[in-house]
Amino acid sequence: MQKAKNIVIISPFFFPEPISTGKFNTDVALKLQEEGHQVTVLCSHPFYPDWKTRYSSEKLEGITIIRGGNKIKYPNKISLRRIVLEIWYALFILKNIKKHQNKIDVIIPVFPPSLAFFTASFFIKKEIKKIGIIHDLQIIYSSQKKGLFNKLITFFIKRVEKSCFKTCDTLIFLSEEMKNSALDIYKISKIKCQVQFPFTTIKEKSLSNNLKDILPDKQFNIVYSGALGEKQNPKELLNVYDYISKKISNTSCYFFSQGPIFEELKKVNSNKMIQFHPLVRKEDVQELYARSSIQIVPQSPNTSKGSLPSKLPNILASGTKILVITDKNSELEKLFNDFNLQKVLTTWDKKIITSSIKELLEKEYDFNRHKKIAQKLFNINSLIEKIVT
């Protein structure tokens, strides 16, 4: 039994945000608290994925939640709203770290954002253990963009991210590909770098029955669910949906998401076989997977080194057919091929994607094996051990 520690998690994303980093951070905090540690979270009032701040006084038993940013308004332009988030959150963390650090044993910055920890690191006592968890490698995404303004942002991201990684005592990357890219780009110490895949949160329970009218049994339901940003290649995914719906009979394609890009796609879509729905309640997530004929997990070209989709473990653990679109020779491609999972593509060619979907719809698969692999590879206990050891 590890000695109880005072742990502070630094990330704007937290409960009650239902997806992505917010859900990840919440589950980590709850597990640490369950193991007997004192957990404080310095976060924002919920705003993701629609980038509209909603005041929240919701609590989690046994966890201290300190929130900021309840009056922040985010611009529509993606790069500008990221800058707004980085700046206000850095000021918020700087203020609160000074106030609370005498009681901290371990501090866990979850990247991105990075500026907050970069700024606070000059004031954090050396004896406090600093464990960084890297969800996305920002330099991978920023370097894909063109133009003087984006080059300037990339310049600052590279320097801030590098400084943050070098300051941490331990770095936990959510994929081997991310770790190797960071080692290559930033020349950080290999000894302090570890890899921990995202973990499953699916539990065996009876399914709800709230989505039967949205996702009827009598048709094929091709579904994308979760946060929708540039790294999912959303415009091309809409084009793929349009093609699929015209080539495979009795098929409807779905986006379950929220946010500016979701609204943009919804506005330009004219195909009645493509439907847009908000994120489902967490109580209905497993029903969503069960009613999905196929769940699609897309990555924009040349971005696989930047992150590993955190929802992938839950989809595999749910026993749902899955189609991953990623880069050639990526970690995801290797993972799917090594464990003979279905199915991974390394192209956005609409004909190939449609052919693969037809194949998935027609074949039967041993999903119990998928579940066992998910439980083995994607486990929260090994992450907690890395944090508290």
Side-chain angles (χ1 to χ4, degrees):
M1 181 75 179
Q2 291 287 336
K3 180 183 176 182
K5 297 178 180 180
N6 291 315
I7 299 174
V8 171
I9 297 174
I10 294 180
S11 176
F13 309 104
F14 196 66
F15 171 85
E17 287 179 349
I19 58 172
S20 195
T21 310
K23 182 70 169 67
F24 178 97
N25 293 339
T26 303
D27 290 333
V28 170
L30 288 170
K31 188 65 176 178
L32 286 168
Q33 191 273 334
E34 181 185 312
E35 296 287 322
H37 303 286
Q38 301 296 317
V39 181
T40 299
V41 184
L42 303 178
C43 61
S44 171
H45 290 270
F47 66 92
Y48 195 75
D50 20 22
W51 291 87
K52 293 180 181 178
T53 307
R54 305 176 305 280
Y55 177 84
S56 175
S57 58
E58 292 191 63
K59 305 291 184 183
L60 288 173
E61 187 176 351
I63 295 174
T64 302
I65 304 174
I66 302 172
R67 301 187 189 274
N70 63 307
K71 295 182 180 179
I72 297 295
K73 293 183 178 180
Y74 295 98
N76 291 327
K77 190 173 177 61
I78 294 173
S79 56
L80 290 180
R81 65 184 181 228
R82 279 285 176 184
I83 290 172
V84 170
L85 172 61
E86 291 274 5
I87 292 173
W88 84 254
Y89 188 64
L91 295 172
F92 170 76
I93 290 301
L94 191 60
K95 173 185 174 182
N96 281 280
I97 284 297
K98 286 183 177 180
K99 187 187 299 183
H100 293 95
Q101 72 166 317
N102 287 333
K103 301 177 181 178
I104 301 173
D105 297 315
V106 179
I107 190 166
I108 305 174
V110 181
F111 305 114
S114 303
L115 186 61
F117 181 72
F118 170 80
T119 306
S121 65
F122 295 99
F123 304 95
I124 297 173
K125 294 180 179 180
K126 290 184 178 180
E127 58 266 28
I128 295 175
K129 189 173 183 180
K130 296 165 280 291
I131 303 174
I133 298 179
I134 297 89
H135 265 260
D136 294 340
L137 208 52
Q138 283 186 296
I139 190 64
I140 298 297
Y141 297 107
S142 65
S143 60
Q144 302 294 318
K145 299 178 181 179
K146 299 178 181 179
L148 182 60
F149 180 66
N150 287 319
K151 285 184 177 179
L152 187 62
I153 290 176
T154 300
F155 174 84
F156 283 107
I157 284 175
K158 189 170 185 179
R159 275 143 188 80
V160 170
E161 210 167 48
K162 180 179 181 179
S163 176
C164 289
F165 293 174
K166 284 184 174 292
T167 300
C168 287
D169 302 300
T170 301
L171 292 170
I172 302 174
F173 294 86
L174 299 193
S175 78
E176 189 75 32
E177 202 169 6
M178 262 200 291
K179 185 195 83 171
N180 291 337
S181 296
L183 288 170
D184 182 56
I185 295 169
Y186 295 134
K187 312 303 179 187
I188 50 182
S189 170
K190 190 174 183 179
I191 296 173
K192 68 179 179 181
C193 296
Q194 302 184 47
V195 174
Q196 176 62 54
F197 289 146
F199 46 81
T200 59
T201 56
I202 289 286
K203 298 177 182 178
E204 293 293 333
K205 65 176 185 179
S206 57
L207 299 178
S208 58
N209 196 30
N210 299 320
L211 305 177
K212 60 181 179 180
D213 295 330
I214 298 174
L215 295 160
D217 297 328
K218 60 185 179 181
Q219 66 180 26
F220 297 124
N221 302 313
I222 313 301
V223 177
Y224 173 82
S225 59
L228 193 60
E230 290 179 312
K231 63 183 178 181
Q232 282 83 31
N233 206 8
K235 292 180 181 177
E236 189 56 33
L237 182 57
L238 181 64
N239 291 333
V240 168
Y241 269 5
D242 186 61
Y243 188 84
I244 291 169
S245 66
K246 294 170 181 175
K247 295 296 181 180
I248 306 177
S249 60
N250 196 32
T251 296
S252 286
C253 300
Y254 296 83
F255 288 97
F256 284 87
S257 190
Q258 288 168 219
I261 291 178
F262 173 82
E263 294 299 333
E264 288 172 18
L265 295 188
K266 187 177 179 180
K267 190 180 294 183
V268 301
N269 175 58
S270 59
N271 186 336
K272 293 182 179 178
M273 302 310 294
I274 302 175
Q275 298 186 36
F276 292 79
H277 296 276
L279 293 164
V280 301
R281 299 180 310 161
K282 64 179 181 179
E283 295 84 0
D284 298 328
V285 169
Q286 285 177 249
E287 183 192 356
L288 172 66
Y289 291 154
R291 291 188 177 277
S292 301
S293 304
I294 297 173
Q295 278 269 334
I296 292 187
V297 178
Q299 288 186 310
S300 289
N302 305 313
T303 65
S304 65
K305 294 178 181 179
S307 63
L308 191 143
S310 58
K311 65 185 172 185
L312 176 66
N314 277 345
I315 299 175
L316 287 172
S318 72
T320 301
K321 292 180 180 180
I322 183 171
L323 175 67
V324 171
I325 306 173
T326 186
D327 294 326
K328 189 172 181 59
N329 299 320
S330 68
E331 186 166 9
L332 268 182
E333 183 191 22
K334 186 176 185 300
L335 189 69
F336 269 62
N337 288 337
D338 287 351
F339 289 94
N340 193 26
L341 301 171
Q342 296 294 330
K343 181 166 189 164
V344 60
L345 294 177
T346 57
T347 176
W348 278 88
D349 184 288
K350 290 189 280 291
K351 291 183 179 179
I352 295 175
I353 293 172
T354 302
S355 175
S356 296
I357 286 176
K358 286 181 178 178
E359 179 187 335
L360 279 169
L361 291 172
E362 291 169 0
K363 283 189 176 182
E364 295 295 328
Y365 296 98
D366 181 5
F367 290 114
N368 284 327
R369 189 177 67 84
H370 283 200
K371 291 179 182 180
K372 290 177 182 177
I373 291 170
Q375 290 166 358
K376 178 182 178 181
L377 290 178
F378 309 112
N379 194 303
I380 191 172
N381 292 327
S382 54
L383 173 63
I384 299 302
E385 187 176 340
K386 288 179 173 70
I387 291 172
V388 300
T389 301

